[in-house]
Amino acid sequence: MAKSNATKPLTGEALLEKVKELGDLPKEEKAKICGYVTSTKKGLPRVNMMKFYNALMDAQGIDLDSSSSGQGRGGRSASYRISVQSNGNLLIGAAYTKKMSLNVGDEFEITLGRKHIHLKQVGADDEEE
């Protein structure tokens, strides 16, 4: 029942170099040689491809979880439509502020038109007008 890993699986630059060195071998063989093998309860070897792939992505600096920026649960995507809330407020959600790379404390000037509200970021360049 113990893991059959006599050595610790390769990670980082050592893993990348070994995979390049192994060339055209099948991916399962590469994973075995790099140490990503465990034993099943019956003592049979099992190649752990998911750990191997995750280690390769880590070694290459690929982070699939970076889009959430570590805060919240992702939230809704921007639909570009909002409605007035029961208290009279208009709420511009996090999806919009993230898309515009806005930060806490950014200030805006509000200009009211007959049927529109225009927000202009204070200190922003006038390029977009």
Side-chain angles (χ1 to χ4, degrees), residues 103-114:
N103 299 309
V104 173
D106 286 351
E107 295 182 349
F108 292 84
E109 290 178 2
I110 300 173
T111 307
L112 299 176
R114 203 184 103 184

Side-chain angles (χ1 to χ4, degrees), residues 8 13 27 47 64 74 92 101 103 114 120 127:
K8 189 174 179 181
E13 194 62 37
K27 56 191 170 202
V47 181
L64 297 178
I92 299 174
S101 301
N103 299 309
R114 203 184 103 184
K120 181 179 176 187
E127 299 172 1

Side-chain angles (χ1 to χ4, degrees), residues 1-128:
M1 286 186 228
K3 292 187 178 184
S4 66
N5 289 4
T7 60
K8 189 174 179 181
L10 295 175
T11 57
E13 194 62 37
L15 175 62
L16 293 176
E17 288 176 20
K18 189 66 171 180
V19 168
K20 286 179 187 176
E21 177 186 311
L22 295 173
D24 293 333
L25 284 177
K27 56 191 170 202
E28 289 84 6
E29 286 299 314
K30 290 178 184 177
K32 282 182 192 178
I33 293 169
C34 292
Y36 290 88
V37 181
T38 57
S39 292
T40 64
K41 290 180 180 179
K42 294 182 180 182
L44 300 172
R46 179 184 178 278
V47 181
N48 194 330
M49 294 303 294
M50 186 60 77
K51 284 187 179 179
F52 177 64
Y53 290 144
N54 285 337
L56 279 174
M57 287 191 298
D58 289 344
Q60 292 175 335
I62 299 170
D63 183 12
L64 297 178
D65 296 327
S66 65
S67 63
S68 67
S69 73
Q71 297 177 356
R73 294 177 284 162
R76 298 178 181 173
S77 60
S79 66
Y80 299 100
R81 292 184 73 116
I82 59 173
S83 57
V84 178
Q85 297 179 335
S86 61
N87 61 3
N89 290 342
L90 287 174
L91 176 67
I92 299 174
Y96 303 99
T97 57
K98 284 179 186 175
K99 194 166 192 135
M100 293 178 65
S101 301
L102 299 176
N103 299 309
V104 173
D106 286 351
E107 295 182 349
F108 292 84
E109 290 178 2
I110 300 173
T111 307
L112 299 176
R114 203 184 103 184
K115 290 275 187 180
H116 69 272
I117 299 171
H118 186 85
L119 298 176
K120 181 179 176 187
Q121 191 170 3
V122 174
D125 295 333
D126 292 331
E127 299 172 1
E128 296 186 24

